[in-house]
mmCIF file of all heavy atoms in Angstrom:
data_model
loop_
_atom_site.group_PDB
_atom_site.id
_atom_site.type_symbol
_atom_site.label_atom_id
_atom_site.label_comp_id
_atom_site.label_asym_id
_atom_site.label_seq_id
_atom_site.Cartn_x
_atom_site.Cartn_y
_atom_site.Cartn_z
ATOM 1 N N ALA A 1 -3.203 -13.933 -0.724
ATOM 2 C CA ALA A 1 -4.141 -12.873 -1.158
ATOM 3 C C ALA A 1 -4.622 -11.974 -0.022
ATOM 4 O O ALA A 1 -4.385 -10.742 -0.059
ATOM 5 C CB ALA A 1 -5.290 -13.384 -1.949
ATOM 6 N N PRO A 2 -5.033 -12.581 1.100
ATOM 7 C CA PRO A 2 -5.459 -11.754 2.240
ATOM 8 C C PRO A 2 -4.330 -10.983 2.889
ATOM 9 O O PRO A 2 -4.515 -9.768 3.315
ATOM 10 C CB PRO A 2 -6.245 -12.637 3.202
ATOM 11 C CG PRO A 2 -5.725 -14.034 2.790
ATOM 12 C CD PRO A 2 -5.461 -13.960 1.360
ATOM 13 N N ALA A 3 -3.146 -11.580 2.969
ATOM 14 C CA ALA A 3 -2.054 -10.922 3.558
ATOM 15 C C ALA A 3 -1.605 -9.744 2.744
ATOM 16 O O ALA A 3 -1.274 -8.692 3.310
ATOM 17 C CB ALA A 3 -0.884 -11.946 3.736
ATOM 18 N N VAL A 4 -1.579 -9.849 1.440
ATOM 19 C CA VAL A 4 -1.176 -8.762 0.592
ATOM 20 C C VAL A 4 -2.237 -7.592 0.719
ATOM 21 O O VAL A 4 -1.820 -6.454 0.779
ATOM 22 C CB VAL A 4 -0.983 -9.256 -0.859
ATOM 23 C CG1 VAL A 4 -0.858 -7.985 -1.834
ATOM 24 C CG2 VAL A 4 0.229 -10.066 -0.947
ATOM 25 N N HIS A 5 -3.508 -8.014 0.589
ATOM 26 C CA HIS A 5 -4.527 -6.967 0.694
ATOM 27 C C HIS A 5 -4.412 -6.214 2.050
ATOM 28 O O HIS A 5 -4.514 -4.909 2.099
ATOM 29 C CB HIS A 5 -5.900 -7.622 0.602
ATOM 30 C CG HIS A 5 -6.261 -8.146 -0.641
ATOM 31 N ND1 HIS A 5 -7.100 -9.152 -0.935
ATOM 32 C CD2 HIS A 5 -5.790 -7.933 -1.955
ATOM 33 C CE1 HIS A 5 -7.243 -9.520 -2.197
ATOM 34 N NE2 HIS A 5 -6.343 -8.676 -2.770
ATOM 35 N N LEU A 6 -4.171 -6.912 3.110
ATOM 36 C CA LEU A 6 -4.156 -6.310 4.335
ATOM 37 C C LEU A 6 -2.975 -5.398 4.545
ATOM 38 O O LEU A 6 -2.962 -4.279 5.002
ATOM 39 C CB LEU A 6 -4.146 -7.373 5.489
ATOM 40 C CG LEU A 6 -4.076 -6.920 6.972
ATOM 41 C CD1 LEU A 6 -5.280 -6.085 7.264
ATOM 42 C CD2 LEU A 6 -3.917 -8.092 7.890
ATOM 43 N N THR A 7 -1.876 -5.863 3.978
ATOM 44 C CA THR A 7 -0.570 -5.084 4.086
ATOM 45 C C THR A 7 -0.715 -3.756 3.285
ATOM 46 O O THR A 7 -0.357 -2.679 3.795
ATOM 47 C CB THR A 7 0.583 -5.910 3.557
ATOM 48 O OG1 THR A 7 0.723 -7.053 4.332
ATOM 49 C CG2 THR A 7 1.939 -5.090 3.700
ATOM 50 N N ALA A 8 -1.252 -3.904 2.105
ATOM 51 C CA ALA A 8 -1.416 -2.695 1.266
ATOM 52 C C ALA A 8 -2.357 -1.747 1.908
ATOM 53 O O ALA A 8 -2.212 -0.516 1.870
ATOM 54 C CB ALA A 8 -1.953 -3.084 -0.164
ATOM 55 N N ALA A 9 -3.590 -2.276 2.441
ATOM 56 C CA ALA A 9 -4.617 -1.412 2.978
ATOM 57 C C ALA A 9 -3.932 -0.689 4.297
ATOM 58 O O ALA A 9 -4.229 0.496 4.508
ATOM 59 C CB ALA A 9 -5.751 -2.227 3.408
ATOM 60 N N LEU A 10 -3.218 -1.410 5.108
ATOM 61 C CA LEU A 10 -2.609 -0.780 6.278
ATOM 62 C C LEU A 10 -1.659 0.356 5.930
ATOM 63 O O LEU A 10 -1.473 1.343 6.616
ATOM 64 C CB LEU A 10 -1.956 -1.881 7.098
ATOM 65 C CG LEU A 10 -2.845 -2.763 7.842
ATOM 66 C CD1 LEU A 10 -2.130 -3.961 8.608
ATOM 67 C CD2 LEU A 10 -3.841 -2.014 8.878
ATOM 68 N N ALA A 11 -0.854 0.076 4.766
ATOM 69 C CA ALA A 11 0.128 1.043 4.373
ATOM 70 C C ALA A 11 -0.613 2.306 3.952
ATOM 71 O O ALA A 11 -0.223 3.430 4.220
ATOM 72 C CB ALA A 11 0.923 0.535 3.218
ATOM 73 N N PHE A 12 -1.686 2.105 3.156
ATOM 74 C CA PHE A 12 -2.528 3.251 2.625
ATOM 75 C C PHE A 12 -3.050 4.038 3.776
ATOM 76 O O PHE A 12 -2.953 5.338 3.891
ATOM 77 C CB PHE A 12 -3.590 2.642 1.674
ATOM 78 C CG PHE A 12 -4.512 3.862 1.164
ATOM 79 C CD1 PHE A 12 -4.046 4.682 0.199
ATOM 80 C CD2 PHE A 12 -5.799 3.990 1.723
ATOM 81 C CE1 PHE A 12 -4.914 5.638 -0.402
ATOM 82 C CE2 PHE A 12 -6.600 4.981 1.194
ATOM 83 C CZ PHE A 12 -6.132 5.812 0.128
ATOM 84 N N ALA A 13 -3.719 3.305 4.743
ATOM 85 C CA ALA A 13 -4.348 3.956 5.846
ATOM 86 C C ALA A 13 -3.321 4.650 6.831
ATOM 87 O O ALA A 13 -3.568 5.760 7.263
ATOM 88 C CB ALA A 13 -5.267 2.960 6.628
ATOM 89 N N GLY A 14 -2.250 3.982 6.899
ATOM 90 C CA GLY A 14 -1.127 4.545 7.775
ATOM 91 C C GLY A 14 -0.586 5.875 7.325
ATOM 92 O O GLY A 14 -0.351 6.724 8.049
ATOM 93 N N TRP A 15 -0.355 5.866 6.033
ATOM 94 C CA TRP A 15 0.092 7.172 5.431
ATOM 95 C C TRP A 15 -0.941 8.200 5.474
ATOM 96 O O TRP A 15 -0.479 9.469 5.599
ATOM 97 C CB TRP A 15 0.662 6.855 4.066
ATOM 98 C CG TRP A 15 2.041 6.349 4.029
ATOM 99 C CD1 TRP A 15 2.408 5.036 4.033
ATOM 100 C CD2 TRP A 15 3.256 7.027 4.159
ATOM 101 N NE1 TRP A 15 3.819 4.834 4.157
ATOM 102 C CE2 TRP A 15 4.390 6.088 4.282
ATOM 103 C CE3 TRP A 15 3.579 8.403 4.210
ATOM 104 C CZ2 TRP A 15 5.657 6.475 4.275
ATOM 105 C CZ3 TRP A 15 4.901 8.830 4.333
ATOM 106 C CH2 TRP A 15 5.905 7.837 4.394
ATOM 107 N N LEU A 16 -2.120 7.886 5.242
ATOM 108 C CA LEU A 16 -3.152 8.866 5.353
ATOM 109 C C LEU A 16 -3.279 9.504 6.726
ATOM 110 O O LEU A 16 -3.369 10.726 6.944
ATOM 111 C CB LEU A 16 -4.610 8.299 5.004
ATOM 112 C CG LEU A 16 -4.912 8.153 3.531
ATOM 113 C CD1 LEU A 16 -6.171 7.525 3.242
ATOM 114 C CD2 LEU A 16 -4.740 9.404 2.753
ATOM 115 N N ILE A 17 -3.196 8.589 7.763
ATOM 116 C CA ILE A 17 -3.131 9.123 9.173
ATOM 117 C C ILE A 17 -1.918 9.854 9.500
ATOM 118 O O ILE A 17 -2.012 10.923 10.255
ATOM 119 C CB ILE A 17 -3.233 7.852 10.063
ATOM 120 C CG1 ILE A 17 -4.605 7.159 9.895
ATOM 121 C CG2 ILE A 17 -3.101 8.244 11.526
ATOM 122 C CD1 ILE A 17 -4.750 5.799 10.638
ATOM 123 N N ALA A 18 -0.823 9.597 8.911
ATOM 124 C CA ALA A 18 0.478 10.322 9.064
ATOM 125 C C ALA A 18 0.437 11.690 8.388
ATOM 126 O O ALA A 18 1.389 12.452 8.635
ATOM 127 C CB ALA A 18 1.666 9.502 8.556
ATOM 128 N N GLY A 19 -0.617 11.948 7.575
ATOM 129 C CA GLY A 19 -0.722 13.215 6.973
ATOM 130 C C GLY A 19 -0.399 13.304 5.482
ATOM 131 O O GLY A 19 -0.427 14.463 4.906
ATOM 132 N N ALA A 20 -0.082 12.156 4.857
ATOM 133 C CA ALA A 20 0.267 12.229 3.447
ATOM 134 C C ALA A 20 -1.105 12.338 2.705
ATOM 135 O O ALA A 20 -2.158 12.020 3.114
ATOM 136 C CB ALA A 20 0.882 10.848 3.080
ATOM 137 N N GLY A 21 -0.985 12.847 1.410
ATOM 138 C CA GLY A 21 -2.152 12.954 0.640
ATOM 139 C C GLY A 21 -2.494 11.625 0.051
ATOM 140 O O GLY A 21 -1.788 10.644 0.097
ATOM 141 N N VAL A 22 -3.739 11.590 -0.637
ATOM 142 C CA VAL A 22 -4.365 10.418 -1.154
ATOM 143 C C VAL A 22 -3.412 9.941 -2.275
ATOM 144 O O VAL A 22 -3.130 8.671 -2.381
ATOM 145 C CB VAL A 22 -5.719 10.566 -1.666
ATOM 146 C CG1 VAL A 22 -6.230 9.399 -2.362
ATOM 147 C CG2 VAL A 22 -6.616 10.952 -0.551
ATOM 148 N N HIS A 23 -2.892 10.791 -3.046
ATOM 149 C CA HIS A 23 -2.056 10.406 -4.177
ATOM 150 C C HIS A 23 -0.755 9.675 -3.664
ATOM 151 O O HIS A 23 -0.365 8.574 -4.129
ATOM 152 C CB HIS A 23 -1.626 11.703 -4.960
ATOM 153 C CG HIS A 23 -0.679 11.374 -6.199
ATOM 154 N ND1 HIS A 23 0.659 11.394 -6.107
ATOM 155 C CD2 HIS A 23 -1.063 11.151 -7.409
ATOM 156 C CE1 HIS A 23 1.136 11.106 -7.225
ATOM 157 N NE2 HIS A 23 0.133 10.932 -8.182
ATOM 158 N N GLN A 24 -0.075 10.288 -2.670
ATOM 159 C CA GLN A 24 1.171 9.684 -2.216
ATOM 160 C C GLN A 24 0.760 8.309 -1.545
ATOM 161 O O GLN A 24 1.546 7.305 -1.710
ATOM 162 C CB GLN A 24 1.882 10.513 -1.274
ATOM 163 C CG GLN A 24 3.199 9.919 -0.685
ATOM 164 C CD GLN A 24 3.853 10.811 0.256
ATOM 165 O OE1 GLN A 24 3.427 11.911 0.684
ATOM 166 N NE2 GLN A 24 4.993 10.468 0.818
ATOM 167 N N ALA A 25 -0.282 8.240 -0.685
ATOM 168 C CA ALA A 25 -0.601 6.982 0.080
ATOM 169 C C ALA A 25 -0.963 5.886 -0.960
ATOM 170 O O ALA A 25 -0.732 4.718 -0.866
ATOM 171 C CB ALA A 25 -1.780 7.281 0.894
ATOM 172 N N LEU A 26 -1.663 6.304 -2.014
ATOM 173 C CA LEU A 26 -2.014 5.283 -3.028
ATOM 174 C C LEU A 26 -0.768 4.810 -3.776
ATOM 175 O O LEU A 26 -0.673 3.566 -4.085
ATOM 176 C CB LEU A 26 -2.980 5.933 -4.061
ATOM 177 C CG LEU A 26 -3.698 5.023 -5.081
ATOM 178 C CD1 LEU A 26 -4.483 3.997 -4.254
ATOM 179 C CD2 LEU A 26 -4.659 5.752 -5.971
ATOM 180 N N LEU A 27 0.101 5.671 -4.111
ATOM 181 C CA LEU A 27 1.398 5.141 -4.774
ATOM 182 C C LEU A 27 2.155 4.097 -3.903
ATOM 183 O O LEU A 27 2.617 3.208 -4.353
ATOM 184 C CB LEU A 27 2.307 6.374 -5.003
ATOM 185 C CG LEU A 27 1.962 7.226 -6.157
ATOM 186 C CD1 LEU A 27 2.969 8.381 -6.412
ATOM 187 C CD2 LEU A 27 1.952 6.489 -7.534
ATOM 188 N N ILE A 28 2.130 4.450 -2.520
ATOM 189 C CA ILE A 28 2.779 3.514 -1.690
ATOM 190 C C ILE A 28 2.061 2.181 -1.566
ATOM 191 O O ILE A 28 2.689 1.073 -1.647
ATOM 192 C CB ILE A 28 2.935 4.157 -0.204
ATOM 193 C CG1 ILE A 28 3.819 5.366 -0.286
ATOM 194 C CG2 ILE A 28 3.365 3.092 0.829
ATOM 195 C CD1 ILE A 28 3.934 6.132 0.905
ATOM 196 N N ALA A 29 0.826 2.275 -1.624
ATOM 197 C CA ALA A 29 -0.005 0.976 -1.543
ATOM 198 C C ALA A 29 0.192 0.109 -2.897
ATOM 199 O O ALA A 29 0.354 -1.083 -2.813
ATOM 200 C CB ALA A 29 -1.557 1.323 -1.435
ATOM 201 N N VAL A 30 0.323 0.796 -3.992
ATOM 202 C CA VAL A 30 0.544 0.201 -5.309
ATOM 203 C C VAL A 30 1.919 -0.468 -5.291
ATOM 204 O O VAL A 30 2.141 -1.608 -5.725
ATOM 205 C CB VAL A 30 0.448 1.181 -6.392
ATOM 206 C CG1 VAL A 30 0.968 0.490 -7.755
ATOM 207 C CG2 VAL A 30 -0.948 1.642 -6.614
ATOM 208 N N ALA A 31 2.924 0.323 -4.670
ATOM 209 C CA ALA A 31 4.259 -0.243 -4.565
ATOM 210 C C ALA A 31 4.205 -1.499 -3.753
ATOM 211 O O ALA A 31 5.007 -2.485 -4.014
ATOM 212 C CB ALA A 31 5.197 0.739 -3.962
ATOM 213 N N VAL A 32 3.467 -1.494 -2.677
ATOM 214 C CA VAL A 32 3.444 -2.738 -1.799
ATOM 215 C C VAL A 32 2.805 -3.823 -2.523
ATOM 216 O O VAL A 32 3.290 -5.024 -2.463
ATOM 217 C CB VAL A 32 2.551 -2.389 -0.465
ATOM 218 C CG1 VAL A 32 2.286 -3.658 0.213
ATOM 219 C CG2 VAL A 32 3.298 -1.430 0.407
ATOM 220 N N LEU A 33 1.721 -3.578 -3.300
ATOM 221 C CA LEU A 33 1.058 -4.659 -4.108
ATOM 222 C C LEU A 33 2.029 -5.256 -5.056
ATOM 223 O O LEU A 33 2.111 -6.461 -5.231
ATOM 224 C CB LEU A 33 -0.134 -4.159 -4.781
ATOM 225 C CG LEU A 33 -1.419 -3.857 -3.983
ATOM 226 C CD1 LEU A 33 -2.445 -3.194 -4.709
ATOM 227 C CD2 LEU A 33 -2.011 -5.234 -3.425
ATOM 228 N N LEU A 34 2.816 -4.335 -5.730
ATOM 229 C CA LEU A 34 3.772 -4.885 -6.779
ATOM 230 C C LEU A 34 4.968 -5.642 -6.205
ATOM 231 O O LEU A 34 5.360 -6.668 -6.641
ATOM 232 C CB LEU A 34 4.291 -3.701 -7.607
ATOM 233 C CG LEU A 34 3.254 -3.082 -8.568
ATOM 234 C CD1 LEU A 34 3.909 -1.915 -9.321
ATOM 235 C CD2 LEU A 34 2.575 -4.110 -9.523
ATOM 236 N N ILE A 35 5.507 -4.984 -5.098
ATOM 237 C CA ILE A 35 6.838 -5.582 -4.511
ATOM 238 C C ILE A 35 6.498 -6.929 -3.891
ATOM 239 O O ILE A 35 7.402 -7.706 -3.722
ATOM 240 C CB ILE A 35 7.424 -4.598 -3.594
ATOM 241 C CG1 ILE A 35 8.866 -4.743 -3.662
ATOM 242 C CG2 ILE A 35 6.919 -4.680 -2.137
ATOM 243 C CD1 ILE A 35 9.723 -3.584 -3.104
ATOM 244 N N THR A 36 5.228 -7.099 -3.486
ATOM 245 C CA THR A 36 4.900 -8.405 -2.800
ATOM 246 C C THR A 36 4.416 -9.389 -3.765
ATOM 247 O O THR A 36 3.950 -10.585 -3.419
ATOM 248 C CB THR A 36 3.811 -8.174 -1.647
ATOM 249 O OG1 THR A 36 2.674 -7.582 -2.315
ATOM 250 C CG2 THR A 36 4.356 -7.445 -0.451
ATOM 251 N N CYS A 37 4.447 -9.108 -5.118
ATOM 252 C CA CYS A 37 4.096 -10.146 -6.071
ATOM 253 C C CYS A 37 4.921 -11.408 -5.907
ATOM 254 O O CYS A 37 6.137 -11.276 -5.733
ATOM 255 C CB CYS A 37 4.302 -9.520 -7.462
ATOM 256 S SG CYS A 37 4.098 -10.748 -8.771
ATOM 257 N N PRO A 38 4.320 -12.494 -5.896
ATOM 258 C CA PRO A 38 5.099 -13.764 -5.613
ATOM 259 C C PRO A 38 5.919 -14.263 -6.723
ATOM 260 O O PRO A 38 6.029 -15.538 -6.870
ATOM 261 C CB PRO A 38 3.921 -14.698 -5.246
ATOM 262 C CG PRO A 38 2.750 -14.227 -5.999
ATOM 263 C CD PRO A 38 2.857 -12.787 -6.153
ATOM 264 N N CYS A 39 6.412 -13.442 -7.584
ATOM 265 C CA CYS A 39 7.075 -13.905 -8.749
ATOM 266 C C CYS A 39 8.428 -14.723 -8.331
ATOM 267 O O CYS A 39 8.623 -15.746 -8.879
ATOM 268 C CB CYS A 39 7.535 -12.710 -9.686
ATOM 269 S SG CYS A 39 6.214 -12.154 -10.686
ATOM 270 N N ALA A 40 9.177 -14.180 -7.389
ATOM 271 C CA ALA A 40 10.341 -14.910 -6.947
ATOM 272 C C ALA A 40 10.031 -16.142 -6.244
ATOM 273 O O ALA A 40 10.631 -17.194 -6.544
ATOM 274 C CB ALA A 40 11.164 -13.955 -6.029
#
């Protein structure tokens, strides 16, 4: 749980700093949350 939260938060913040909009940064953070789902 903390690892996933930290990874998604860093991805969101990193893309905002890189100049992406909130919408794009949020989509990337959501993708990180989903792709790191421990289903496998």
Side-chain angles (χ1 to χ4, degrees):
V4 169
H5 291 155
L6 181 61
T7 303
L10 289 175
F12 179 76
W15 277 94
L16 284 180
I17 294 172
V22 173
H23 181 272
Q24 183 183 0
L26 190 58
L27 284 178
I28 292 172
V30 169
V32 171
L33 285 171
L34 290 180
I35 210 163
T36 54
C37 173
C39 283

